[in-house]
Amino acid sequence: MNKLTKQQAWDLLAAYTETPALQRHALQVAAAMEHFARLAGEDPEVWWAAGLLHDLDYEKYPEEHCRKAEQIMRERGVDEVYIRAMLCHGYGPCTDTKPESPLEKTLYTIDELTGLINAVCLVRPSKSVLDLEVKSVKKKFKDKAFAAGVNREVIRKGCEMLDAPLDEIIRETIEGMKEHAGEIGLAGGAEA
């Protein structure tokens, strides 16, 4: 495998994604992916880069989401592992590439979930993931009007694919985001 370094992955993302909120989302997904890689006994750097690049084309080519990223990644000689992961995260709405590997299933599941967790953090007094509890996320998960753009069905399907309960996936996603709270913009007033 032709593994991307964190810097190579960041440089590629930054070439196509300039909006701070989109960069933060990419970093939030990358942080959670790195955590799940360690839990699965996989390479955290590979999973981090896959998480970081999942929305590579979203800012500049939203109508071609996933398809344009595939083209960009292929032109740059990016390894198929990253291309498949990116395609799998859009399974259903954007692609017909079904998640198969643990990496692909995890990315599919937590992309939407990190968005929900970010939204929950931003309405909390602390504005931080560091004191966030699973029950707070579950409460907002059930409230379909809250962060209405978050596709809860994708999260549910992903949990089924991973054969893991929603509570566990939420807990581990929070843990992964806590590990990088400062760099992903969710440390609140606390030092990361």
Side-chain angles (χ1 to χ4, degrees), residues 12 16 56 61 68-76:
L12 180 54
Y16 292 91
L56 177 65
Y61 308 99
K68 190 68 176 178
E70 179 181 19
Q71 178 189 339
I72 291 164
M73 293 167 102
R74 289 198 190 287
E75 286 170 358
R76 292 180 174 242

Side-chain angles (χ1 to χ4, degrees), residues 97-114:
T97 307
K98 187 175 183 180
E100 294 172 2
S101 73
L103 182 156
E104 294 164 1
K105 291 175 183 178
T106 303
L107 181 57
Y108 173 81
T109 307
I110 66 152
D111 173 30
E112 294 287 322
L113 183 55
T114 58

Side-chain angles (χ1 to χ4, degrees), residues 27-149:
L27 286 167
Q28 289 170 359
V29 173
M33 287 296 291
E34 182 180 72
H35 176 76
F36 277 99
R38 283 195 295 274
L39 292 176
E42 299 281 345
D43 186 331
E45 204 165 89
V46 170
W47 285 43
W48 186 91
L52 190 76
L53 295 175
H54 78 283
D55 278 345
L56 177 65
D57 59 3
Y58 189 76
E59 181 174 332
K60 292 189 188 288
Y61 308 99
E63 301 82 27
E64 299 175 75
H65 185 39
C66 295
R67 293 293 161 212
K68 190 68 176 178
E70 179 181 19
Q71 178 189 339
I72 291 164
M73 293 167 102
R74 289 198 190 287
E75 286 170 358
R76 292 180 174 242
V78 173
D79 195 275
E80 192 67 25
V81 166
Y82 302 107
I83 295 171
R84 266 200 59 87
M86 179 279 303
L87 289 170
C88 287
H89 104 275
Y91 178 61
C94 302
T95 77
D96 57 3
T97 307
K98 187 175 183 180
E100 294 172 2
S101 73
L103 182 156
E104 294 164 1
K105 291 175 183 178
T106 303
L107 181 57
Y108 173 81
T109 307
I110 66 152
D111 173 30
E112 294 287 322
L113 183 55
T114 58
L116 178 65
I117 290 170
N118 180 69
V120 172
C121 289
L122 295 180
V123 299
R124 294 170 58 76
S126 69
K127 306 272 190 257
S128 173
V129 72
L130 297 172
D131 60 356
L132 184 63
E133 296 180 17
V134 172
K135 66 180 181 183
S136 300
V137 177
K138 281 280 293 266
K139 183 177 178 186
K140 295 296 189 184
F141 183 89
K142 292 173 185 169
D143 178 0
K144 295 196 180 6
F146 180 82

Side-chain angles (χ1 to χ4, degrees), residues 135-178:
K135 66 180 181 183
S136 300
V137 177
K138 281 280 293 266
K139 183 177 178 186
K140 295 296 189 184
F141 183 89
K142 292 173 185 169
D143 178 0
K144 295 196 180 6
F146 180 82
V150 171
N151 189 330
R152 281 128 169 106
E153 192 53 36
V154 164
I155 298 169
R156 281 190 200 94
K157 281 185 197 168
C159 290
E160 288 173 20
M161 284 182 196
L162 291 168
D163 195 26
L166 177 62
D167 285 31
E168 178 185 326
I169 298 298
I170 291 172
R171 182 178 63 252
E172 296 302 341
T173 302
I174 291 169
E175 287 305 312
M177 293 171 78
K178 278 182 183 179

